[in-house]
Amino acid sequence: MATAREQTTRPKELMENVEELFGESHVAMLFERRMKRIQQKYREQMAGQSFEERLDTLAKLQDADGYMVKLEQKADEVYSFIETNCPIARVASEFPQACQCEWSLFASLFNDAQVDRTECIAEGGTCCRYLLTKKQQT
């Protein structure tokens, strides 16, 4: 039976093998495909929801996937979305495309907000922190 450490290194090794065999572009394609699949699932869950409801839904969905999410309102229409755990941190630390895809995912789900990543576990942070500022409607 595999140890916990062996189980967590397997995805990283798999990505290393993909990169070695097919190149970095295929690694990027894998992460893009994963993002598109998640994006479709999340959009279905968020259909018809307000900005705040979508934030809450995203927090619940990410929390269910092991990200241990905290959502904090910082100011009027400014929210901090904090993931205190990253199930793919070992992979993301070597393949930053994973983090870029998450950022792109959040930006696509909240095209009515400015989405900034201010901290990242894979880059040595204590959490993955996003600041979402709702855009003023004109």
Side-chain angles (χ1 to χ4, degrees):
M1 187 165 163
T3 66
R5 179 162 170 74
E6 289 170 334
Q7 289 174 346
T8 59
T9 59
R10 285 187 180 152
K12 182 177 162 220
E13 289 171 3
L14 177 63
M15 297 308 294
E16 289 168 347
N17 288 333
V18 168
E19 183 177 48
E20 185 179 311
L21 290 169
F22 304 109
E24 189 176 323
S25 65
H26 280 74
V27 172
M29 287 173 30
L30 284 172
F31 284 114
E32 286 285 327
R33 182 169 291 210
R34 176 181 181 265
M35 182 194 75
K36 294 292 184 192
R37 190 174 52 251
I38 293 169
Q39 183 183 53
Q40 181 178 348
K41 174 185 165 187
Y42 285 16
R43 280 197 171 141
E44 289 171 7
Q45 296 286 322
M46 295 177 176
Q49 294 183 342
S50 70
F51 180 80
E52 289 78 11
E53 290 169 333
R54 285 183 288 138
L55 272 173
D56 188 55
T57 297
L58 178 62
K60 288 176 182 171
L61 290 168
Q62 289 290 94
D63 204 49
D65 283 340
Y67 288 87
M68 299 173 64
V69 176
K70 288 193 264 181
L71 185 59
E72 300 172 353
Q73 185 167 3
K74 293 299 196 184
D76 199 29
E77 299 186 336
V78 179
Y79 297 85
S80 184
F81 187 92
I82 304 161
E83 297 171 326
T84 60
N85 184 56
C86 179
I88 63 166
R90 287 176 153 261
V91 173
S93 67
E94 235 176 274
F95 299 96
Q97 302 95 321
C99 300
Q100 183 59 44
C101 282
E102 182 177 72
W103 191 357
S104 295
L105 170 67
F106 292 176
S108 74
L109 295 171
F110 293 92
N111 59 1
D112 54 350
Q114 174 67 40
V115 180
D116 297 302
R117 186 177 61 218
T118 60
E119 192 171 355
C120 179
I121 293 171
E123 295 173 359
T126 60
C127 66
C128 294
R129 183 185 314 268
Y130 294 87
L131 192 64
L132 290 90
T133 305
K134 189 173 179 184
K135 294 176 184 173
Q136 297 300 315
Q137 298 205 13
T138 55

